[in-house]
Amino acid sequence: MSELKIAIQKSGRLSENSKTLLEECGIKFSNGISVLKTTARNFPVELLFLRDDDIPQYVEQQVADIGILGENMVYEKNKDVTIFEQLGFAQCRLSLAIPKEESYKGPEFFMNKKIATSYPKLLSDYLTGENIIAEIEEISGSVEIAPGIGLADAVCDIVSSGSTLLTNGLHEVETLLKSQAVIIASKKLDAGKREI
Ligand code: PRT
Ligand code: ZN
């Protein structure tokens, strides 16, 4: 049988738990800091170390058969993949937050406001569902700083403990999505590989 190709995050919040999970499945592999691809020593398994953002696309294109990443990224990228299993780690939520001195009565707060986010699709879906017209400012990191520097009126970002919002003078007002790490698979994954 051909190798099962598994994509995991190269370095970040998901990496250690993803590697531990594979090790617990008995998959033995060596992983140097600059290694992007490696073959397991004891199974017909190849591991690809990628940015989490790229994993849905690689799985859709069957460059990888399965991948481990956060549900938030799976839904944001909206590729043709199936969620196979929830893994319980990397629990977080995607939330809207506004400056703490602003009072909040409901989603109409966001009408004609500018919202900074790394999740433009999920935010846009939410705003459409609430009939809110707002400007989405897409930025790739340090989103919580945006209101403080005058870049946006609000943020839509991942929250875990809530301390980043707190230190940036923001308060959480809406949760768009709850997320945890999941295994995704290509919808075309062949039956033989599915059984592994
Ligand atoms: O380099 P690469 O693109 O692979 O990594 P990345 O920097 O995009 O992602 P990474 O490693 O930060 O996060 C990977 C995944 O972990 C996310 O897609 C989520 O599914 C999950 N996760 C869980 C989190 C958090 N918790 C989290 N706290 N992702 C990000 N954060 C950030 C958040 O963006 C915010 O800046 O942590 C801050 C908030 O944390 P608290 O604890 O202060 O609320
Ligand atoms: Zn990423």
Side-chain angles (χ1 to χ4, degrees), residues 157-174:
D157 198 19
I158 298 294
V159 181
S160 169
S161 68
S163 70
T164 307
L165 292 182
L166 204 67
T167 50
N168 285 284
L170 299 169
H171 73 123
E172 197 176 351
V173 292
E174 298 286 348

Side-chain angles (χ1 to χ4, degrees), residues 84-130:
F84 223 56
E85 199 178 325
Q86 294 185 312
L87 297 171
F89 62 85
Q91 297 204 358
C92 57
R93 54 198 186 270
L94 181 68
S95 293
L96 278 159
I98 64 173
K100 64 174 186 309
E101 57 281 3
E102 303 260 18
S103 65
Y104 186 79
K105 294 190 186 70
E108 59 278 7
F109 172 91
F110 297 103
M111 199 70 179
N112 299 319
K113 294 267 168 53
K114 198 185 207 187
I115 311 168
T117 191
S118 311
Y119 293 87
K121 182 206 166 344
L122 292 174
L123 175 57
S124 163
D125 289 351
Y126 170 80
L127 294 171
T128 304
E130 297 291 338

Side-chain angles (χ1 to χ4, degrees), residues 9-14 50-53 69-73 90-92 119 144 157-165 179:
Q9 190 187 29
K10 179 167 165 36
S11 76
R13 287 187 165 84
L14 303 166
L50 305 171
R51 283 199 63 190
D52 64 348
D53 311 59
L69 75 165
E71 286 173 297
N72 51 310
M73 196 55 83
Q91 297 204 358
C92 57
Y119 293 87
E144 293 90 345
D157 198 19
I158 298 294
V159 181
S160 169
S161 68
S163 70
T164 307
L165 292 182
S179 176

